[in-house]
Short mmCIF file of all heavy atoms in Angstrom, two decimals:
data_model
loop_
_atom_site.label_atom_id
_atom_site.label_comp_id
_atom_site.label_asym_id
_atom_site.label_seq_id
_atom_site.Cartn_x
_atom_site.Cartn_y
_atom_site.Cartn_z
N VAL Z 85 83.47 173.10 50.02
CA VAL Z 85 82.15 173.73 49.96
C VAL Z 85 81.68 173.94 48.52
O VAL Z 85 80.51 174.17 48.29
CB VAL Z 85 82.15 175.09 50.72
CG1 VAL Z 85 82.39 174.87 52.21
CG2 VAL Z 85 83.18 176.04 50.14
N VAL Z 86 82.59 173.83 47.57
CA VAL Z 86 82.24 174.05 46.17
C VAL Z 86 81.70 172.77 45.53
O VAL Z 86 80.63 172.75 44.94
CB VAL Z 86 83.43 174.60 45.37
CG1 VAL Z 86 83.08 174.77 43.90
CG2 VAL Z 86 83.93 175.92 45.97
N CYS Z 87 82.46 171.66 45.65
CA CYS Z 87 82.09 170.43 44.94
C CYS Z 87 81.73 169.27 45.86
O CYS Z 87 81.28 168.23 45.39
CB CYS Z 87 83.21 170.01 44.00
SG CYS Z 87 84.71 169.44 44.85
N GLY Z 88 81.96 169.41 47.16
CA GLY Z 88 81.61 168.36 48.10
C GLY Z 88 82.64 167.28 48.31
O GLY Z 88 82.47 166.39 49.14
N ARG Z 89 83.74 167.32 47.57
CA ARG Z 89 84.78 166.32 47.74
C ARG Z 89 85.34 166.41 49.16
O ARG Z 89 85.48 167.50 49.71
CB ARG Z 89 85.88 166.54 46.71
CG ARG Z 89 86.91 165.45 46.69
CD ARG Z 89 87.84 165.56 45.51
NE ARG Z 89 88.89 164.57 45.65
CZ ARG Z 89 89.96 164.52 44.91
NH1 ARG Z 89 90.14 165.41 43.94
NH2 ARG Z 89 90.88 163.60 45.08
N THR Z 90 85.67 165.27 49.77
CA THR Z 90 86.16 165.27 51.15
C THR Z 90 87.60 164.77 51.23
O THR Z 90 88.07 164.03 50.36
CB THR Z 90 85.27 164.39 52.04
OG1 THR Z 90 85.24 163.07 51.51
CG2 THR Z 90 83.86 164.97 52.14
N PHE Z 91 88.26 165.19 52.31
CA PHE Z 91 89.68 164.90 52.49
C PHE Z 91 89.97 164.55 53.94
O PHE Z 91 89.23 164.93 54.84
CB PHE Z 91 90.52 166.12 52.09
CG PHE Z 91 90.27 166.55 50.67
CD1 PHE Z 91 89.28 167.48 50.38
CD2 PHE Z 91 91.00 166.02 49.63
CE1 PHE Z 91 89.04 167.88 49.08
CE2 PHE Z 91 90.76 166.40 48.32
CZ PHE Z 91 89.77 167.33 48.05
N THR Z 92 91.08 163.86 54.16
CA THR Z 92 91.49 163.51 55.52
C THR Z 92 92.36 164.59 56.15
O THR Z 92 92.56 164.58 57.35
CB THR Z 92 92.27 162.17 55.54
OG1 THR Z 92 93.42 162.30 54.70
CG2 THR Z 92 91.40 161.02 55.07
N GLN Z 93 92.86 165.51 55.33
CA GLN Z 93 93.74 166.56 55.85
C GLN Z 93 93.26 167.94 55.40
O GLN Z 93 92.86 168.12 54.25
CB GLN Z 93 95.17 166.38 55.36
CG GLN Z 93 95.83 165.11 55.84
CD GLN Z 93 97.26 165.03 55.34
OE1 GLN Z 93 97.92 166.03 55.11
NE2 GLN Z 93 97.75 163.81 55.18
N ALA Z 94 93.35 168.90 56.31
CA ALA Z 94 92.97 170.28 55.98
C ALA Z 94 93.87 170.84 54.89
O ALA Z 94 93.42 171.57 54.01
CB ALA Z 94 93.04 171.15 57.23
N LYS Z 95 95.15 170.49 54.93
CA LYS Z 95 96.10 170.97 53.93
C LYS Z 95 95.73 170.49 52.53
O LYS Z 95 95.83 171.22 51.55
CB LYS Z 95 97.53 170.52 54.29
CG LYS Z 95 98.60 171.01 53.35
CD LYS Z 95 98.78 172.50 53.46
CE LYS Z 95 99.90 172.98 52.57
NZ LYS Z 95 99.98 174.42 52.50
N THR Z 96 95.27 169.25 52.42
CA THR Z 96 94.87 168.70 51.12
C THR Z 96 93.65 169.44 50.60
O THR Z 96 93.56 169.74 49.41
CB THR Z 96 94.58 167.19 51.23
OG1 THR Z 96 95.70 166.56 51.85
CG2 THR Z 96 94.37 166.58 49.86
N LEU Z 97 92.71 169.75 51.49
CA LEU Z 97 91.54 170.54 51.09
C LEU Z 97 91.98 171.92 50.61
O LEU Z 97 91.51 172.41 49.58
CB LEU Z 97 90.56 170.68 52.25
CG LEU Z 97 89.41 171.67 52.04
CD1 LEU Z 97 88.57 171.29 50.82
CD2 LEU Z 97 88.56 171.78 53.30
N GLN Z 98 92.89 172.54 51.32
CA GLN Z 98 93.40 173.87 50.94
C GLN Z 98 94.00 173.83 49.53
O GLN Z 98 93.73 174.71 48.70
CB GLN Z 98 94.44 174.33 51.95
CG GLN Z 98 95.01 175.70 51.67
CD GLN Z 98 96.13 176.06 52.64
OE1 GLN Z 98 96.63 175.23 53.39
NE2 GLN Z 98 96.52 177.32 52.62
N LEU Z 99 94.79 172.81 49.24
CA LEU Z 99 95.38 172.68 47.90
C LEU Z 99 94.30 172.43 46.86
O LEU Z 99 94.35 172.98 45.76
CB LEU Z 99 96.40 171.53 47.89
CG LEU Z 99 97.66 171.74 48.72
CD1 LEU Z 99 98.49 170.46 48.74
CD2 LEU Z 99 98.47 172.90 48.21
N HIS Z 100 93.30 171.61 47.20
CA HIS Z 100 92.20 171.32 46.29
C HIS Z 100 91.42 172.59 45.94
O HIS Z 100 91.03 172.77 44.78
CB HIS Z 100 91.26 170.29 46.91
CG HIS Z 100 89.95 170.18 46.23
ND1 HIS Z 100 89.78 169.48 45.04
CD2 HIS Z 100 88.72 170.70 46.54
CE1 HIS Z 100 88.51 169.57 44.67
NE2 HIS Z 100 87.85 170.30 45.55
N LEU Z 101 91.20 173.45 46.91
CA LEU Z 101 90.42 174.67 46.68
C LEU Z 101 91.04 175.56 45.60
O LEU Z 101 90.34 176.32 44.93
CB LEU Z 101 90.23 175.45 47.98
CG LEU Z 101 89.22 174.84 48.95
CD1 LEU Z 101 89.28 175.54 50.30
CD2 LEU Z 101 87.82 174.91 48.36
N ARG Z 102 92.34 175.45 45.42
CA ARG Z 102 93.01 176.23 44.36
C ARG Z 102 92.50 175.86 42.98
O ARG Z 102 92.54 176.68 42.06
CB ARG Z 102 94.53 176.05 44.44
CG ARG Z 102 95.13 176.71 45.65
CD ARG Z 102 96.62 176.54 45.67
NE ARG Z 102 97.16 177.14 46.88
CZ ARG Z 102 98.33 176.84 47.39
NH1 ARG Z 102 99.11 175.95 46.78
NH2 ARG Z 102 98.75 177.40 48.49
N ARG Z 103 92.00 174.64 42.81
CA ARG Z 103 91.42 174.25 41.52
C ARG Z 103 90.19 175.09 41.22
O ARG Z 103 89.93 175.43 40.07
CB ARG Z 103 91.03 172.77 41.53
CG ARG Z 103 92.21 171.84 41.58
CD ARG Z 103 91.76 170.42 41.27
NE ARG Z 103 92.91 169.56 41.08
CZ ARG Z 103 93.59 169.45 39.95
NH1 ARG Z 103 93.25 170.14 38.91
NH2 ARG Z 103 94.63 168.64 39.88
N HIS Z 104 89.42 175.42 42.26
CA HIS Z 104 88.20 176.20 42.08
C HIS Z 104 88.49 177.70 41.96
O HIS Z 104 87.83 178.40 41.21
CB HIS Z 104 87.22 175.96 43.23
CG HIS Z 104 86.77 174.54 43.35
ND1 HIS Z 104 86.09 173.87 42.35
CD2 HIS Z 104 86.92 173.64 44.36
CE1 HIS Z 104 85.84 172.63 42.74
NE2 HIS Z 104 86.33 172.46 43.95
N THR Z 105 89.47 178.17 42.72
CA THR Z 105 89.77 179.61 42.73
C THR Z 105 90.70 180.02 41.61
O THR Z 105 90.76 181.19 41.25
CB THR Z 105 90.42 180.03 44.07
OG1 THR Z 105 91.71 179.39 44.19
CG2 THR Z 105 89.55 179.67 45.26
N GLY Z 106 91.46 179.06 41.07
CA GLY Z 106 92.44 179.38 40.05
C GLY Z 106 93.74 179.93 40.61
O GLY Z 106 94.64 180.31 39.87
N GLU Z 107 93.86 179.96 41.95
CA GLU Z 107 95.06 180.49 42.58
C GLU Z 107 96.28 179.65 42.20
O GLU Z 107 96.25 178.42 42.26
CB GLU Z 107 94.90 180.48 44.11
CG GLU Z 107 96.13 180.99 44.82
CD GLU Z 107 96.05 180.81 46.34
OE1 GLU Z 107 95.14 180.12 46.83
OE2 GLU Z 107 96.94 181.34 47.01
N LYS Z 108 97.34 180.34 41.79
CA LYS Z 108 98.61 179.69 41.44
C LYS Z 108 99.73 180.52 42.06
O LYS Z 108 100.31 181.38 41.40
CB LYS Z 108 98.76 179.59 39.92
CG LYS Z 108 97.75 178.66 39.27
CD LYS Z 108 97.99 178.56 37.78
CE LYS Z 108 97.03 177.59 37.14
NZ LYS Z 108 97.29 177.44 35.69
N PRO Z 109 100.05 180.27 43.32
CA PRO Z 109 100.99 181.12 44.04
C PRO Z 109 102.48 180.86 43.78
O PRO Z 109 103.32 181.63 44.23
CB PRO Z 109 100.66 180.84 45.50
CG PRO Z 109 100.13 179.45 45.50
CD PRO Z 109 99.41 179.29 44.18
N PHE Z 110 102.81 179.81 43.05
CA PHE Z 110 104.21 179.47 42.85
C PHE Z 110 104.64 179.82 41.43
O PHE Z 110 104.17 179.26 40.46
CB PHE Z 110 104.44 177.98 43.14
CG PHE Z 110 104.05 177.62 44.54
CD1 PHE Z 110 102.82 177.01 44.79
CD2 PHE Z 110 104.88 177.91 45.61
CE1 PHE Z 110 102.45 176.69 46.08
CE2 PHE Z 110 104.51 177.60 46.90
CZ PHE Z 110 103.29 176.99 47.13
N ARG Z 111 105.59 180.77 41.32
CA ARG Z 111 106.04 181.31 40.04
C ARG Z 111 107.44 180.83 39.70
O ARG Z 111 108.34 180.86 40.53
CB ARG Z 111 106.02 182.83 40.09
CG ARG Z 111 106.42 183.49 38.80
CD ARG Z 111 106.42 185.03 38.97
NE ARG Z 111 106.83 185.67 37.76
CZ ARG Z 111 108.10 185.91 37.42
NH1 ARG Z 111 109.07 185.55 38.23
NH2 ARG Z 111 108.38 186.51 36.29
N CYS Z 112 107.63 180.41 38.46
CA CYS Z 112 108.95 180.01 37.98
C CYS Z 112 109.79 181.26 37.75
O CYS Z 112 109.39 182.16 37.00
CB CYS Z 112 108.82 179.22 36.68
SG CYS Z 112 110.42 178.77 35.97
N ASP Z 113 110.94 181.32 38.39
CA ASP Z 113 111.85 182.46 38.24
C ASP Z 113 112.49 182.51 36.85
O ASP Z 113 112.97 183.55 36.42
CB ASP Z 113 112.96 182.42 39.29
CG ASP Z 113 112.42 182.67 40.70
OD1 ASP Z 113 111.35 183.29 40.83
OD2 ASP Z 113 113.09 182.23 41.66
N HIS Z 114 112.49 181.38 36.14
CA HIS Z 114 113.12 181.31 34.83
C HIS Z 114 112.23 181.84 33.71
O HIS Z 114 112.68 182.54 32.82
CB HIS Z 114 113.54 179.87 34.50
CG HIS Z 114 114.51 179.30 35.48
ND1 HIS Z 114 115.85 179.58 35.46
CD2 HIS Z 114 114.31 178.47 36.52
CE1 HIS Z 114 116.45 178.95 36.45
NE2 HIS Z 114 115.53 178.26 37.11
N CYS Z 115 110.94 181.45 33.74
CA CYS Z 115 110.08 181.80 32.61
C CYS Z 115 108.75 182.46 33.01
O CYS Z 115 107.97 182.84 32.14
CB CYS Z 115 109.78 180.55 31.78
SG CYS Z 115 108.81 179.31 32.65
N GLY Z 116 108.48 182.58 34.31
CA GLY Z 116 107.29 183.29 34.76
C GLY Z 116 106.00 182.49 34.80
O GLY Z 116 104.95 183.02 35.13
N VAL Z 117 106.04 181.19 34.50
CA VAL Z 117 104.85 180.35 34.56
C VAL Z 117 104.46 180.13 36.03
O VAL Z 117 105.32 179.98 36.89
CB VAL Z 117 105.09 178.99 33.86
CG1 VAL Z 117 103.91 178.05 34.02
CG2 VAL Z 117 105.40 179.20 32.39
N PHE Z 118 103.15 180.12 36.31
CA PHE Z 118 102.65 179.94 37.68
C PHE Z 118 102.10 178.53 37.88
O PHE Z 118 101.57 177.91 36.95
CB PHE Z 118 101.55 180.96 37.97
CG PHE Z 118 102.08 182.34 38.17
CD1 PHE Z 118 102.25 183.19 37.08
CD2 PHE Z 118 102.41 182.81 39.43
CE1 PHE Z 118 102.73 184.47 37.26
CE2 PHE Z 118 102.90 184.08 39.61
CZ PHE Z 118 103.06 184.92 38.53
N PHE Z 119 102.17 178.05 39.14
CA PHE Z 119 101.72 176.70 39.49
C PHE Z 119 100.91 176.73 40.78
O PHE Z 119 101.13 177.57 41.64
CB PHE Z 119 102.92 175.76 39.66
CG PHE Z 119 103.69 175.58 38.38
CD1 PHE Z 119 104.69 176.48 38.03
CD2 PHE Z 119 103.38 174.55 37.52
CE1 PHE Z 119 105.37 176.35 36.83
CE2 PHE Z 119 104.06 174.40 36.32
CZ PHE Z 119 105.06 175.30 35.97
N ARG Z 120 99.97 175.78 40.89
CA ARG Z 120 99.13 175.66 42.08
C ARG Z 120 99.92 175.13 43.27
O ARG Z 120 99.66 175.48 44.40
CB ARG Z 120 97.97 174.69 41.83
CG ARG Z 120 96.85 175.26 41.07
CD ARG Z 120 95.66 174.28 41.05
NE ARG Z 120 94.78 174.66 39.98
CZ ARG Z 120 94.74 174.10 38.79
NH1 ARG Z 120 95.52 173.09 38.51
NH2 ARG Z 120 93.93 174.54 37.87
N GLN Z 121 100.84 174.22 43.00
CA GLN Z 121 101.59 173.56 44.08
C GLN Z 121 103.09 173.69 43.85
O GLN Z 121 103.56 173.74 42.71
CB GLN Z 121 101.21 172.09 44.17
CG GLN Z 121 99.76 171.87 44.54
CD GLN Z 121 99.44 170.40 44.72
OE1 GLN Z 121 100.29 169.59 45.06
NE2 GLN Z 121 98.19 170.05 44.46
N LYS Z 122 103.82 173.71 44.96
CA LYS Z 122 105.27 173.82 44.91
C LYS Z 122 105.89 172.65 44.15
O LYS Z 122 106.85 172.82 43.41
CB LYS Z 122 105.81 173.88 46.33
CG LYS Z 122 107.22 174.35 46.46
CD LYS Z 122 107.60 174.49 47.93
CE LYS Z 122 108.78 175.38 48.10
NZ LYS Z 122 109.09 175.62 49.52
N ASP Z 123 105.33 171.45 44.33
CA ASP Z 123 105.86 170.27 43.63
C ASP Z 123 105.76 170.42 42.11
O ASP Z 123 106.64 169.98 41.38
CB ASP Z 123 105.13 169.01 44.07
CG ASP Z 123 105.55 168.55 45.46
OD1 ASP Z 123 106.56 169.07 45.97
OD2 ASP Z 123 104.87 167.68 46.02
N GLY Z 124 104.67 171.03 41.64
CA GLY Z 124 104.50 171.27 40.21
C GLY Z 124 105.58 172.20 39.68
O GLY Z 124 106.14 171.98 38.60
N LEU Z 125 105.89 173.23 40.46
CA LEU Z 125 106.96 174.15 40.08
C LEU Z 125 108.30 173.44 40.06
O LEU Z 125 109.08 173.59 39.11
CB LEU Z 125 107.00 175.35 41.04
CG LEU Z 125 108.19 176.29 40.89
CD1 LEU Z 125 108.26 176.89 39.50
CD2 LEU Z 125 108.14 177.38 41.96
N LYS Z 126 108.58 172.65 41.09
CA LYS Z 126 109.86 171.93 41.15
C LYS Z 126 110.02 170.99 39.96
O LYS Z 126 111.09 170.91 39.35
CB LYS Z 126 109.97 171.13 42.45
CG LYS Z 126 110.23 171.96 43.67
CD LYS Z 126 110.32 171.06 44.89
CE LYS Z 126 110.59 171.85 46.15
NZ LYS Z 126 110.64 170.98 47.34
#
Side-chain angles (χ1 to χ4, degrees):
V85 295
V86 178
C87 69
R89 187 170 174 190
T90 58
F91 303 90
T92 59
Q93 297 182 28
K95 182 68 177 172
T96 309
L97 170 59
Q98 181 185 12
L99 293 173
H100 165 78
L101 285 170
R102 290 181 183 159
R103 291 192 170 277
H104 299 299
T105 65
E107 179 188 10
K108 294 182 177 183
F110 302 100
R111 182 182 179 274
C112 176
D113 292 336
H114 300 280
C115 65
V117 174
F118 286 88
F119 296 86
R120 281 188 198 99
Q121 296 184 28
K122 196 175 200 175
D123 286 347
L125 171 59
K126 286 181 180 178

